[in-house]
Amino acid sequence: MTGVSGFHEDEVLGKAYDARLLGRLLHYLKPYRAAVVLGVVLLLTSTFLTLSIPYLVKEAIDTGIARGDAGRLRLLMGWVVIVLLTDFGVRYAQTYLVQWMGQQAVFDLRQEVFAHLQKLSLSFYDKNPVGRLLTRVTSDVSVLGELFSSGVVAIFGDLFTLVGIVVYMLYLDVKLSLITFIVLPLLIYATMIFRKKARESYRQVRRGIARINAYLSEHIGGMTVVKLFGQEARSQVRFEGLSAELRDAHLKSVLYHAVFFPVVEILGAVSLALIIWYGGAGVLAGVLTFGTIAAFVQYVDRFYQPIRDLAEKYNVLQSAMASSERIFKLLDTRPEFESPANAGKVENVKGEIRFENVWFAYRPEEWVLKDVSFTIKPGEKVAIVGATGAGKTSLVGLLTRFYGYQKGSIYVDGVELKQMDVQALRRHIGLVLQDVFLFSGDISYNIRLGSDSISDERMKEAARRVNLEPFIQRLPGRYRAVVEERGATFSVGQKQLLSFARALAFDPKILILDEATSSVDTETELLIRDALEKLMAGRTAIVIAHRLSTVEKSDRILVLHKGEVREAGTHAELLAKKGIYHRLYLLQYKNVLPSAKIPAA
Amino acid sequence: MDGFARLKEYLSKHRKTLFAGFLAVLLTNFFTLLPPWFVKLAVDKIEAGTTARQLLVYGFWIVFTTLVQGYFRYRMRQTLIVASRRVEYELRSDYFAKLVRLPKSFYNHFKTGEIISRANADLEAVRNMIGPGIMQAANTILALMGSFAFMLALNPKLSLLTLVPIPFLSVAVFHLGRSIHRKFTRIQEQYALLSSKVQENLSGVRVVRAYVQEENEIHSFEKISRELVGRTLSLVKAQALFYPVLYFLAGASLLLVVWVGGREVMAGEMTLGGLLAFLLYLLNLTWPAIALGWVVGLYQQGKASLARLEEVFSAEEEPVGSAGTVQPESRQGEIEFRDLSFGYGADNHLVLKNINLTIPAGQTVALVGRTGAGKSTLVSLIPKLFPVKEDRLFVDGTDVTHHPTGLLRRQIGFVPQEPFLFSATIAENLAFGLVSVDTEKVARFSRLAGLENDVTDFPSGYQTVVGERGITLSGGQKQRATLARALATDPKILILDDAFSSVDTDTEEKILSGLRQLWKGRTVILISHRVSTVKDADLIAVLEAGEIVERGTHAELLARGGYYAELYEKQLLEEELERI
């Protein structure tokens, strides 16, 4: 582990608007075109209705109250009731519709990202930690949901409201409108300055948070070192420095807000004063009515809220752009290799495996396997042995097509792997890994996974054959017993037997087994040995062997050393040779300590 | 503990600012109430007949009072919000100060991500509670009271009528809030399920691929994801009511005012200006009423976050040991374990059992044994990384529990198994235990640790920042850097926990021969899997399942033919294999 954490400052400095990204995002709304159109119509309707109330109030004052016409007042108030009720329905429908649409788009996107992850190569997984990929599927997608369902709509809603107010005011009285709007350029100017300043301080805040996060994550990881060297005070001082930077960035942002909001209020007051002065004079001159003044006062009051909102929406946009950039980058990553389109069917596999001059490297020119050639006959049981780092796991990774090889060819039943459909190939291979991976779900799910083609009978038969059944019988719910937290309640041996049952249930022609190194008690050891034998019967088997019994019983042993096949033969032959295998045998299979604790009877 | 007592202490440090803030809120609200009154006066004047000039005076007063109001609104943020940011800073600094005082065991219980999110998300939620939360609460209460007082003065009957929708509003907000909370919890649960599904799928990628389960995985993910959409939309159904209800109720109040007020104007019981002013006060009320729900939300989140922060703040700290009980001149480096047993958890599982080991000052002792035998645990007890019972472990004849922790650690040079470097320059890393970066010292110990040639190969040499711009140190380089870092503090006791595992044998040989000179007069504890590393030690102890099963010199242990002898044999085999 390094002390350097993965927080990148530039991640937080993205743009708020990027036409290319936005275009690609809109693409996800395409299936919901009708909903989008309906949503906009409803939004427009709701804006119109909301803004018609001050107009109705004006009419009520001018034609009802001012003229003492109670009937007229009642009629107009009746209209207000109708408008309020309609607006209630429209607003509700619009909110729900837009959220529905956003959720559908998010669902589609999430599904696409998840499905895409199922296609990416293992080499991609090696480079990207699980946590990072998890964020793409969860929070990054959620941020976009926010954008779809509230951000965009709120922005349009605000714009519609602004335009609507201007239209209503102009309709009521052009001159008074123009006078009222004298302050508008000032307002726009103030908002622009505020937006620019707020953006700067927002960036500083984001940067400050990223730095603090990085520092925290690093120092929590290295807390022991800090303590051992007695550097608590110094690291505290540094942290306070970063914390103060963040505080100052925040304080700047507070200042901008503290100035901006009063400025908006004051400009609003100027508008109000202008309405009273100019509008009042108009009433005195008989060219304007009280109702118009009342309507204007209400419209001006409603004008400022959307402006404030718009200035705040910037942050939502910015984080949405950053998330979409990360998601699209993931979606644009191609798998290392793909199955050929014209891949032939792989049926009736006999299980012959041939490696021909295979070279493989994870990183360019750092060869892990060098010129490896060998043939395994159908039904043959081959053990692969070698020191740590000899290339055993890599060899298995090539055969399962987890990784692509750079040079040479691998054939299964005479067909080159590169010409095969990867999934079709894997259907014929059973893989048992050293660390047994258990899924959350019950026992039966962990044996047959999601394959419905495996019947209950076959699943139970598999468990029985690998000596797992007695153990399952003891569990409450038996095959329905829930596997908790990656199988924390199972012993190492039980987990191994379970993974054997899984392989057996899938009935593969080729079995690849990476034997676990951890030791188990004698009883379980015997059960495992017995299960292994049954598992391998009638299949081509490649075993990365850690058990003496396994190597002894295999038809042939391949000795991998520094990426090359250096020796091959049976256990007896190779021992007699006194070469690499002999030394490996002494190193790995011979019991080292008398205390290699086999419990005393 | 809910943390409010702690928060109060922080707030009381800023009580002057907070007081000024509340005053600003009060004045802001007072001056907000004046413009509608001027509107009323103006409109009444218009009805009675007046001049444009007279109206201009009212216009002036409207603008002037708003200017004054604007100033106090500005002050309001500059006091209350600024204070909340300052409290946030103080809390965050103290949070880190707490972190460095917490024992290692704390970090085994709390995940890094959790600790960080408390310093961010939770701290921010607390900040929102004491900043915008307090400000809006004060604002809302004053605005409601102020506007209502003015409305009462204008027309008591009408004022009471506007109150009619308020009970409905409260009931609606209460029920909606409860239902939203319930639905929100259900979403969170489903979201957690979705996360763990993805986590599991990604971690188990090899099994998924090998058993061709991609389609099934996509399908089961789809089900979870679909359910999440369903639950979210169920929340939306409730939440989507919120604003429509609010708008409707605000509209209903307006309706009542115009209708009833209009009839009063017609009856001559109220002026048109009065009605207009009444409308303006009503508009003033709308936002605070909306903010009320928001403030309640801020308080609830803040309260929950404060409790989470308090969990860390109230966690038990590492014991500091008694101050100054050990005289500096008595520090020689003698270590003694007396029948020491140790376990991490409360489950009575002992990692170390009945360890008796005396290491005279100036001697070199090696520990060998399998992974998990307890070697690292044993050495980590010396600098008190984990608490030891009394009378079990002595350094220079004094029980470690009585040693001041800081002083004890400063005389120990510890090279941990996992080489950890900070993202600072190499020089800063090597001088980590020194008061300042001493270039000469850094270079000297870097040479001793066999790191010098590597560093001079970097373009920026000792000024190279670890981990930046693609310059990553190899495992071996990191180990040598941590070795140099430990040597630079001139420790009496040097502990090397498998410090050469990533360094090749030849380099290790060179480093060791350079170090032998330095080791004179220091106590050295070596943990290693390599016989070549430990063979010259004064004493070699073999640990097996927490017990010392063999002890002696290299020759003695070889003659004994136990684990150590086997290890030696294997080492020879490995060397042979390496040469083939």
Side-chain angles (χ1 to χ4, degrees):
Chain A
M1 243 203 73
T2 58
V4 187
S5 62
F7 291 94
H8 294 295
E9 286 187 7
D10 41 23
E11 254 191 40
V12 296
L13 303 178
K15 286 185 270 184
Y17 172 75
D18 183 322
R20 188 181 50 84
L21 286 177
L22 209 58
R24 213 170 150 181
L25 277 176
L26 285 179
H27 180 79
Y28 287 91
L29 292 181
K30 248 189 179 169
Y32 310 104
R33 237 170 296 159
V36 174
V37 173
L38 186 58
V40 171
V41 170
L42 290 175
L43 190 61
L44 278 170
T45 312
S46 158
T47 309
F48 168 77
L49 289 173
T50 309
L51 294 180
S52 68
I53 289 177
Y55 182 80
L56 288 171
V57 170
K58 169 209 174 285
E59 284 295 299
I61 291 174
D62 288 348
T63 64
I65 298 169
R67 292 181 197 159
D69 187 345
R72 174 81 184 155
L73 179 63
R74 197 180 308 129
L75 176 76
L76 283 163
M77 288 305 103
W79 274 109
V80 172
V81 172
I82 293 169
V83 166
L84 282 175
L85 287 173
T86 321
D87 187 43
F88 179 81
V90 170
R91 219 171 254 279
Y92 182 75
Q94 182 262 334
T95 314
Y96 184 78
L97 183 73
V98 167
Q99 290 277 354
W100 176 85
M101 176 199 76
Q103 287 300 320
Q104 298 305 322
V106 160
F107 172 81
D108 295 344
L109 183 62
R110 192 168 264 151
Q111 209 57 30
E112 187 182 340
V113 173
F114 186 79
H116 187 72
L117 282 171
Q118 307 305 307
K119 278 188 260 166
L120 289 175
S121 313
L122 265 293
S123 53
F124 174 81
Y125 281 83
D126 293 341
K127 274 177 257 160
N128 293 279
V130 168
R132 191 187 298 167
L133 298 177
L134 181 65
T135 313
R136 299 293 165 276
V137 188
T138 53
S139 54
D140 276 340
V141 174
S142 296
V143 168
L144 290 187
E146 200 100 315
L147 176 75
F148 282 140
S149 53
S150 45
V152 172
V153 177
I155 288 171
F156 277 108
D158 287 343
L159 285 176
F160 286 164
T161 304
L162 289 178
V163 173
I165 289 173
V166 171
V167 169
Y168 266 106
M169 283 168 81
L170 285 173
Y171 171 74
L172 282 175
D173 192 280
V174 177
K175 261 197 191 162
L176 187 57
S177 305
L178 294 179
I179 296 281
T180 314
F181 287 147
I182 285 178
V183 296
L184 206 55
L186 271 172
L187 182 67
I188 292 170
Y189 181 68
T191 308
M192 270 167 52
I193 291 183
F194 170 70
R195 217 192 62 176
K196 191 164 159 274
K197 293 279 180 190
R199 184 169 51 202
E200 271 169 31
S201 67
Y202 177 69
R203 284 185 180 191
Q204 280 170 8
V205 165
R206 300 296 306 171
R207 191 183 294 137
I209 290 174
R211 281 191 184 154
I212 283 181
N213 280 346
Y215 190 88
L216 271 176
S217 130
E218 178 172 316
H219 281 74
I220 292 167
M223 194 54 86
T224 308
V225 176
V226 172
K227 284 177 179 300
L228 284 171
F229 285 85
Q231 295 302 313
E232 290 94 337
R234 202 197 284 177
S235 64
Q236 165 76 12
V237 168
R238 290 221 181 112
F239 182 78
E240 272 172 27
L242 291 175
S243 196
E245 263 176 46
L246 176 64
R247 178 197 60 201
D248 294 342
H250 273 312
L251 291 186
K252 250 192 222 168
S253 166
V254 173
L255 176 67
Y256 299 142
H257 282 83
V259 172
F260 178 68
F261 288 120
V263 164
V264 171
E265 296 254 347
I266 290 162
L267 290 175
V270 172
S271 292
L272 184 63
L274 286 170
I275 292 168
I276 294 297
W277 169 62
Y278 188 84
V283 174
L284 285 174
V287 289
L288 281 172
T289 62
F290 279 116
T292 307
I293 291 181
F296 263 70
V297 166
Q298 290 182 67
Y299 283 131
V300 166
D301 189 77
R302 285 174 194 236
F303 195 78
Y304 290 94
Q305 192 56 41
I307 296 236
R308 276 181 250 181
D309 280 354
L310 275 177
E312 303 254 303
K313 282 287 154 2
Y314 191 84
N315 298 351
V316 177
L317 265 181
Q318 192 176 43
S319 60
M321 285 300 142
S323 286
S324 61
E325 179 128 42
R326 288 196 288 267
I327 289 175
F328 289 144
K329 199 174 155 216
L330 173 66
L331 288 177
D332 290 340
T333 310
R334 302 306 334 153
E336 190 188 335
F337 52 83
E338 275 163 288
S339 302
N342 55 349
K345 285 202 171 167
V346 194
E347 276 169 12
N348 298 322
V349 168
K350 295 198 299 288
E352 189 212 45
I353 297 162
R354 188 148 48 93
F355 273 62
E356 258 182 32
N357 313 102
V358 174
W359 289 72
F360 170 68
Y362 292 100
R363 276 180 296 274
E365 299 303 314
E366 288 176 33
W367 297 110
V368 177
L369 292 177
K370 296 175 219 160
D371 202 31
V372 170
S373 300
F374 60 83
T375 306
I376 300 174
K377 294 193 288 287
E380 196 178 10
K381 280 141 201 57
V382 171
I384 295 178
V385 299
T388 314
K392 294 168 294 187
T393 309
S394 306
L395 190 133
V396 165
L398 298 191
L399 189 55
T400 48
R401 283 302 258 158
F402 283 167
Y403 298 93
Y405 37 97
Q406 284 82 5
K407 291 190 232 174
S409 312
I410 303 175
Y411 301 92
V412 168
D413 283 7
V415 184
E416 223 294 340
L417 291 191
K418 286 176 182 166
Q419 306 305 319
M420 267 188 226
D421 179 73
V422 177
Q423 298 202 346
L425 166 74
R426 288 180 188 153
R427 275 181 224 282
H428 297 288
I429 296 176
L431 181 68
V432 177
L433 293 168
Q434 219 174 31
D435 293 317
V436 178
F437 190 89
L438 295 184
F439 293 86
S440 52
D442 55 18
I443 300 257
S444 74
Y445 179 81
N446 270 288
I447 295 177
R448 66 176 146 199
L449 300 178
S451 294
D452 304 328
S453 57
I454 296 170
S455 66
D456 270 13
E457 214 20 73
R458 200 164 119 200
M459 185 262 299
K460 286 180 184 166
E461 172 63 23
R464 206 169 301 137
R465 301 241 324 186
V466 299
N467 308 317
L468 189 65
E469 188 150 68
F471 162 67
I472 293 175
Q473 297 295 356
R474 284 200 297 272
L475 293 175
R478 307 207 171 152
Y479 286 92
R480 294 263 156 244
V482 173
V483 175
E484 284 175 29
E485 284 267 329
R486 302 265 159 80
T489 47
F490 295 79
S491 76
V492 180
Q494 286 159 350
K495 279 199 242 179
Q496 284 181 41
L497 292 178
L498 200 106
S499 71
F500 289 175
R502 185 189 286 166
L504 195 64
F506 279 78
D507 192 23
K509 267 292 156 195
I510 300 167
L511 180 77
I512 298 174
L513 201 145
D514 194 351
E515 274 190 334
T517 43
S518 44
S519 49
V520 292
D521 61 83
T522 331
E523 194 189 345
T524 315
E525 174 66 26
L526 293 175
L527 289 177
I528 288 177
R529 278 188 210 174
D530 177 66
L532 257 178
E533 239 172 277
K534 288 181 194 155
L535 185 58
M536 289 196 279
R539 300 170 218 282
T540 307
I542 299 180
V543 185
I544 298 176
H546 293 296
R547 279 191 175 74
L548 184 58
S549 63
T550 313
V551 279
E552 279 174 343
K553 280 181 192 153
S554 59
D555 298 322
R556 201 149 47 103
I557 297 165
L558 293 176
V559 181
L560 264 181
H561 192 64
K562 297 179 181 170
E564 292 172 79
V565 177
R566 295 282 290 270
E567 292 172 9
T570 63
H571 178 62
E573 284 167 16
L574 290 177
L575 272 190
K577 216 171 168 183
K578 296 265 175 201
I580 296 172
Y581 181 76
H582 177 73
R583 291 181 175 85
L584 282 171
Y585 167 75
L586 291 174
L587 255 177
Q588 295 181 354
Y589 304 115
K590 228 185 94 191
N591 266 349
V592 176
L593 260 189
S595 55
K597 304 223 163 170
I598 289 176
Chain B
M1 275 288 277
D2 55 9
F4 277 102
R6 190 181 304 276
L7 191 61
K8 224 173 115 187
E9 280 172 36
Y10 284 88
L11 287 175
S12 74
K13 267 188 257 170
H14 297 271
R15 58 176 171 267
K16 273 187 192 158
T17 317
L18 292 176
F19 180 74
F22 287 125
L23 203 63
V25 176
L26 189 74
L27 290 168
T28 304
N29 277 288
F30 176 70
F31 283 100
T32 308
L33 295 170
L34 294 181
W37 200 261
F38 291 121
V39 170
K40 174 198 178 301
L41 293 179
V43 173
D44 287 347
K45 277 271 158 53
I46 296 170
E47 259 189 310
T50 182
T51 58
R53 175 183 281 263
Q54 185 64 41
L55 292 177
L56 199 58
V57 173
Y58 287 117
F60 166 79
W61 281 111
I62 289 172
V63 175
F64 178 76
T65 47
T66 311
L67 268 172
V68 177
Q69 180 245 100
Y71 170 74
F72 287 117
R73 193 173 284 279
Y74 162 82
R75 287 298 306 157
M76 177 174 98
R77 279 180 185 272
Q78 284 295 76
T79 48
L80 292 180
I81 306 286
V82 163
S84 76
R85 287 295 178 196
R86 292 196 189 280
V87 168
E88 176 196 1
Y89 160 77
E90 286 154 17
L91 267 169
R92 186 176 277 122
S93 298
D94 291 351
Y95 182 77
F96 189 82
K98 179 75 189 184
L99 288 183
V100 296
R101 288 198 303 268
L102 287 169
K104 211 168 144 60
S105 55
F106 172 85
Y107 294 95
N108 297 343
H109 297 305
F110 281 83
K111 290 187 201 122
T112 307
E114 251 177 81
I115 300 173
I116 294 177
S117 93
R118 275 166 218 235
N120 292 330
D122 287 323
L123 199 50
E124 180 69 20
V126 171
R127 203 289 301 188
N128 279 336
M129 173 171 72
I130 59 175
I134 289 182
M135 184 178 84
Q136 283 307 345
N139 215 6
T140 298
I141 292 165
L142 284 171
L144 288 175
M145 287 185 353
S147 290
F148 199 70
F150 271 74
M151 283 158 79
L152 274 178
L154 276 169
N155 188 327
K157 188 176 148 202
L158 210 50
S159 307
L160 294 174
L161 257 181
T162 57
L163 291 181
V164 169
I166 287 181
F168 294 102
L169 188 74
S170 311
V171 170
V173 166
F174 178 74
H175 277 281
L176 218 53
R178 226 175 39 175
S179 152
I180 285 173
H181 179 76
R182 222 176 15 240
K183 286 166 193 279
F184 193 70
T185 315
R186 275 172 49 82
I187 291 178
Q188 293 292 78
E189 283 165 10
Q190 189 65 14
Y191 193 74
L193 188 67
L194 182 120
S195 292
S196 58
K197 173 74 202 171
V198 177
Q199 169 104 36
E200 181 177 285
N201 171 274
L202 297 173
S203 314
V205 59
R206 282 178 164 77
V207 177
V208 171
R209 298 294 168 88
Y211 286 89
V212 201
Q213 294 299 309
E214 293 95 329
E215 285 304 317
N216 292 323
E217 284 290 289
I218 291 173
H219 187 69
S220 71
F221 177 76
E222 185 177 341
K223 266 200 226 154
I224 295 172
S225 192
R226 205 27 100 212
E227 174 66 22
L228 179 64
V229 170
R231 290 186 182 189
T232 309
L233 287 180
S234 155
L235 172 73
V236 167
K237 263 182 210 157
Q239 221 168 21
L241 272 176
F242 199 73
Y243 282 100
V245 164
L246 231 55
Y247 272 94
F248 183 79
L249 289 173
S253 298
L254 184 92
L255 178 86
L256 284 173
V257 169
V258 174
W259 198 338
V260 179
R263 292 221 318 245
E264 294 205 353
V265 172
M266 284 190 283
E269 288 163 16
M270 189 183 182
T271 64
L272 205 52
L275 183 64
L276 201 57
F278 208 92
L279 277 180
L280 284 174
Y281 286 123
L282 199 62
L283 285 175
N284 270 347
L285 276 180
T286 319
W287 169 242
I290 294 175
L292 203 57
W294 186 62
V295 166
V296 171
L298 285 185
Y299 170 74
Q300 276 167 345
Q301 283 172 16
K303 194 178 151 196
S305 290
L306 189 60
R308 274 197 291 273
L309 276 176
E310 187 60 22
E311 245 178 69
V312 175
F313 273 120
S314 61
E316 201 180 323
E317 292 178 12
E318 198 174 31
V320 288
S322 18
T325 43
V326 179
Q327 295 307 307
E329 53 271 23
S330 72
R331 283 188 231 137
Q332 296 302 318
E334 187 210 45
I335 301 165
E336 190 190 352
F337 293 89
R338 269 187 218 161
D339 200 23
L340 176 140
S341 295
F342 177 82
Y344 286 103
D347 57 351
N348 292 329
H349 174 75
L350 290 180
V351 182
L352 295 171
K353 284 171 233 159
N354 313 322
I355 300 286
N356 280 297
L357 182 67
T358 307
I359 306 170
Q363 288 228 338
T364 301
V365 169
L367 300 173
V368 294
R370 287 170 210 278
T371 314
K375 307 181 296 281
S376 292
T377 304
L378 186 70
V379 292
S380 69
L381 296 182
I382 303 170
K384 294 208 278 184
L385 287 180
F386 295 100
V388 189
K389 287 204 189 82
E390 264 182 71
D391 292 327
R392 287 288 172 258
L393 173 57
F394 298 81
V395 172
D396 291 328
T398 308
D399 187 339
V400 282
T401 54
H402 298 154
H403 272 278
T405 308
L407 269 174
L408 175 69
R409 285 177 184 165
R410 244 165 277 155
Q411 58 172 318
I412 298 171
F414 201 106
V415 186
Q417 215 169 6
E418 295 253 333
F420 187 95
L421 296 176
F422 292 92
S423 49
T425 66
I426 294 180
E428 283 166 340
N429 265 296
L430 298 196
F432 188 69
L434 303 177
V435 182
S436 61
V437 179
D438 179 339
T439 332
E440 197 203 329
K441 239 185 184 174
V442 162
R444 183 151 58 93
F445 288 104
S446 166
R447 197 178 315 128
L448 270 169
L451 187 69
E452 195 178 38
N453 291 339
D454 300 68
V455 174
T456 43
D457 278 351
F458 293 134
S460 323
Y462 285 102
Q463 294 312 309
T464 306
V465 174
V466 176
E468 243 178 36
R469 292 190 188 82
I471 297 199
T472 42
L473 303 188
S474 72
Q477 285 168 335
K478 272 191 235 156
Q479 284 191 333
R480 281 174 278 152
T482 54
L483 175 63
R485 180 176 67 188
L487 293 175
T489 61
D490 190 24
K492 270 279 161 219
I493 299 168
L494 189 61
I495 299 171
L496 308 180
D497 187 357
D498 209 4
F500 300 108
S501 61
S502 304
V503 179
D504 65 80
T505 325
D506 291 340
T507 315
E508 182 188 340
E509 199 58 51
K510 267 184 236 154
I511 297 171
L512 282 176
S513 62
L515 287 183
R516 295 237 156 76
Q517 200 56 32
L518 191 85
W519 284 0
K520 272 183 198 145
R522 290 173 214 271
T523 309
V524 180
I525 303 178
L526 278 170
I527 294 179
S528 181
H529 291 284
R530 284 189 194 149
V531 171
S532 55
T533 312
V534 304
K535 63 179 189 296
D536 296 324
D538 298 311
L539 177 78
I540 300 167
V542 177
L543 252 77
E544 175 77 25
E547 291 175 84
I548 296 179
V549 291
E550 294 172 28
R551 65 173 89 201
T553 62
H554 177 72
E556 286 164 9
L557 290 181
L558 278 192
R560 198 170 171 270
Y563 173 87
Y564 186 80
E566 291 253 10
L567 188 73
Y568 181 66
E569 219 175 282
K570 281 188 154 192
Q571 213 101 74
L572 292 181
L573 274 167
E574 265 170 21
E575 279 166 28
E576 262 179 62
L577 268 173
E578 196 50 44
R579 280 195 296 273
I580 295 176

